[in-house]
Amino acid sequence: MAAKDRRGAVSMDAMPLVSVVVPAYNAAGSIGETLNALRGQAYRQPFEIIVVDNASTDDTAAVAASYGATVLRERKRGPSAARNCGLRAARGEIVAHLDADTLPSRRWLRDITEPFSDPDVRLVAGNTLCYPPKTAAERYVQASKLYDTERAIKREEFPFAPSLNLAVRRSAALAVGGWDEDMPTGEDVDFSHRILTRFATNIAYAPGAVLYHHTRADAGALCKQAWTYGEGAGQLYLRYPDELRWDVRKSAVLAIRLLDRCSRPPLCALGRALGIVPGEQLEFVRYQSLWDRHFWAGFFHMYLLRRRRFT
Amino acid sequence: MLAERVFETSFSLQPHVVATVVEDGAVLLDLETKYFFQLNEPAWAIVQLFEAGGASQEAIEETCRSWGATDADVPGVRALLSRLHEEHLVGSAESEDLVPAPFRGPWSTPTIERQAEPLHTLVTSAFDPSIPLAE
């Protein structure tokens, strides 16, 4: 049992070294704010900051170096390759990850590493919050709770710690082979699953490890994100066929759901014209329909094409 | 009229309050009420004094003087402390453990401003009527 100080907080005196790994691709415009917030952490133990420049074509590496971060270069594109590069180089027993366009709160590092005072804890998820929305796409992401960490870690099937705000015991990450570099998205679901099954553990949640995140600001970017998330889900179905089986029941449920999602926008537009549906509801169902159509298109693009290739 | 003493004991930032450094100060988020509070740089420097330990009102006022505050500025410091107390952002500490805080100055009246909407309102109903809808 870890010692507690007079205020009831777990003593951090015995905390091992922590490495913060930030994968970065063309992040020269945002990473300065992220690193500045990391340097200003209310964390009394030593920690290292590793920025993995993922073949950027801008000044990401120079900006990161100007903030005193250790800069590594990973030519293989993709956040998983960048995280693995950082994982291999990390000197800390605990590796914390955040994205290069996020803003960690002062206690982020302290709170996300605190659960590791329990030796059975392998994976910790932080509390990701979106900035107050300014566009319709951002409003949709908030309303749909796409980045709700508590929901992600409490899922019945494949609970996961979102990769933009997590910490993992380095030995555990290496024991499961690190991040899967063939998965452009959904890699955090896969990574969490391998950690949880290998060590028969749960994801610890650190609500005080608050990190602010910019969401996609326009419909085009949101559709592209939905497509890639769908592809990631398709890959998970291919990778874990015994646990995630696509069957007739799921097909029927999805067909009804898509029919519902596609019919709502015109119905709500009619209701809006008649003055019985508020504008925000119409906006929400339009984005919901866009999201679902692109997500499932991405899913079946991956699932059917890859499955055909392997059978 | 502000009381001479806002606190009888040392006080510290509540565990449910999360601070985030921004360009011109910091933002506090109360995880219980979900309200954001914007602090300017002098206010943030003061909050840092008791961010990780207890600090007395006297010690804070003395530190503010070392940052350039005059006797005329003391009511502004006390107003900030009162507001932090009223909003339940700070609570009593068992002992004094003043944490040194950097402040590059120049000194100005510390300010704290609460955002109009709490975060959970934004999350559960993300549609700010002041933002034009995409219709």
Side-chain angles (χ1 to χ4, degrees):
Chain A
M1 184 69 185
K4 292 193 173 186
D5 67 17
R6 63 177 186 273
R7 295 168 64 205
V10 176
S11 169
M12 305 297 282
D13 292 344
M15 287 300 292
L17 179 68
V18 175
S19 301
V20 180
V21 173
V22 188
Y25 171 68
N26 285 352
S30 64
I31 198 167
E33 190 179 47
T34 307
L35 295 177
N36 191 42
L38 277 178
R39 291 204 315 179
Q41 288 290 296
Y43 186 71
R44 295 185 180 185
Q45 304 293 319
F47 66 98
E48 62 174 355
I49 302 173
I50 299 172
V51 172
V52 184
D53 180 20
N54 202 191
S56 297
T57 54
D58 66 3
D59 294 332
T60 297
V63 173
S66 73
Y67 282 89
T70 300
V71 180
L72 306 176
R73 287 180 174 79
E74 172 57 57
R75 290 188 175 185
K76 184 175 180 183
R77 290 283 303 277
S80 290
R83 287 190 199 103
N84 280 339
C85 176
L87 185 65
R88 287 190 296 269
R91 291 183 294 126
E93 165 54 12
I94 295 165
V95 177
H97 288 291
L98 78 172
D99 283 358
D101 60 348
T102 58
L103 182 65
S105 58
R106 283 264 293 173
R107 289 198 332 241
W108 176 76
L109 194 53
R110 194 195 82 178
D111 283 23
I112 205 163
T113 55
E114 195 174 85
F116 289 104
S117 56
D118 178 347
D120 291 333
V121 169
R122 263 69 176 213
L123 184 60
V124 179
N127 184 3
T128 304
L129 302 174
C130 302
Y131 288 98
K134 291 179 179 166
T135 68
E138 291 172 344
R139 284 195 291 269
Y140 171 71
V141 172
Q142 282 227 332
S144 62
K145 299 191 175 182
L146 199 60
Y147 291 100
D148 187 334
T149 307
E150 277 194 271
R151 200 170 70 163
I153 66 172
K154 288 177 182 169
R155 280 166 32 136
E156 283 186 18
E157 276 188 334
F158 284 67
F160 69 102
S163 58
L164 81 170
N165 185 5
L166 66 77
V168 63
R169 216 175 271 281
R170 181 171 179 267
S171 53
L174 290 173
V176 299
W179 297 80
D180 189 326
E181 299 180 11
D182 292 330
M183 295 193 73
T185 60
E187 81 283 9
D188 43 9
V189 184
D190 170 72
F191 180 75
S192 300
H193 184 68
R194 284 184 285 122
I195 294 271
L196 299 186
T197 49
R198 171 73 180 262
F199 295 101
T201 185
N202 293 316
I203 301 169
Y205 178 49
V210 168
L211 178 128
Y212 297 93
H213 170 61
H214 287 290
T215 60
R216 302 296 189 272
D218 60 69
L222 198 64
C223 290
K224 192 175 171 188
Q225 186 183 39
W227 175 282
T228 58
Y229 277 19
E231 284 188 322
Q235 272 189 301
L236 286 169
Y237 267 78
L238 292 168
R239 180 151 303 177
Y240 299 103
D242 294 335
E243 295 157 79
L244 291 170
R245 190 178 297 276
W246 192 262
D247 53 24
V248 176
R249 189 188 65 82
K250 283 186 178 175
S251 299
V253 169
L254 177 62
I256 293 168
R257 176 173 158 156
L258 285 178
L259 193 65
D260 171 62
R261 292 287 159 85
C262 292
S263 62
R264 278 192 196 193
L267 289 174
C268 281
L270 180 64
R272 175 77 176 143
L274 296 171
I276 54 175
V277 170
E280 55 264 38
Q281 190 179 341
L282 174 58
E283 179 184 280
F284 182 82
V285 297
R286 279 177 175 166
Y287 275 89
Q288 192 180 45
S289 174
L290 266 181
W291 177 274
D292 268 33
R293 281 186 281 133
H294 285 83
F295 179 92
W296 289 108
F299 176 88
F300 285 115
H301 176 258
M302 175 62 69
Y303 185 68
L304 296 178
L305 283 184
R306 283 276 180 96
R307 197 173 68 157
R308 193 172 299 158
R309 202 173 296 162
F310 288 116
T311 53
Chain B
M1 180 69 184
L2 283 164
E4 283 292 305
R5 292 192 61 83
V6 180
F7 301 94
E8 293 301 324
T9 60
S10 296
F11 49 94
S12 62
L13 203 62
Q14 296 278 25
H16 57 78
V17 178
V18 175
T20 306
V21 181
V22 294
E23 198 174 330
D24 51 355
V27 172
L28 301 183
L29 171 63
D30 186 332
L31 289 172
E32 289 185 351
T33 66
K34 311 290 188 197
Y35 271 103
F36 281 111
F37 298 84
Q38 178 83 40
L39 306 177
N40 68 357
E41 286 195 23
W44 170 228
I46 291 168
V47 168
Q48 283 181 83
L49 292 173
F50 48 83
E51 189 185 22
S56 67
Q57 184 178 327
E58 289 81 4
I60 287 172
E61 290 176 6
E62 191 180 316
T63 305
C64 289
R65 285 193 176 91
S66 74
W67 289 337
T70 63
D71 286 346
D73 295 320
V74 170
V77 174
R78 289 179 184 167
L80 172 73
L81 300 179
S82 289
R83 184 73 191 281
L84 291 167
H85 189 243
E86 285 164 16
E87 299 284 1
H88 305 292
L89 301 175
V90 297
S92 295
E94 288 177 12
S95 61
E96 182 150 353
D97 182 17
L98 192 76
V99 179
F103 178 65
R104 290 189 295 271
W107 176 262
S108 61
T109 304
T111 61
I112 178 170
E113 183 183 346
R114 190 171 79 165
Q115 296 292 304
E117 291 290 331
L119 184 68
H120 63 86
T121 303
L122 292 168
V123 170
T124 54
S125 175
F127 307 104
D128 180 350
S130 65
I131 302 171
L133 294 172
E135 289 188 88

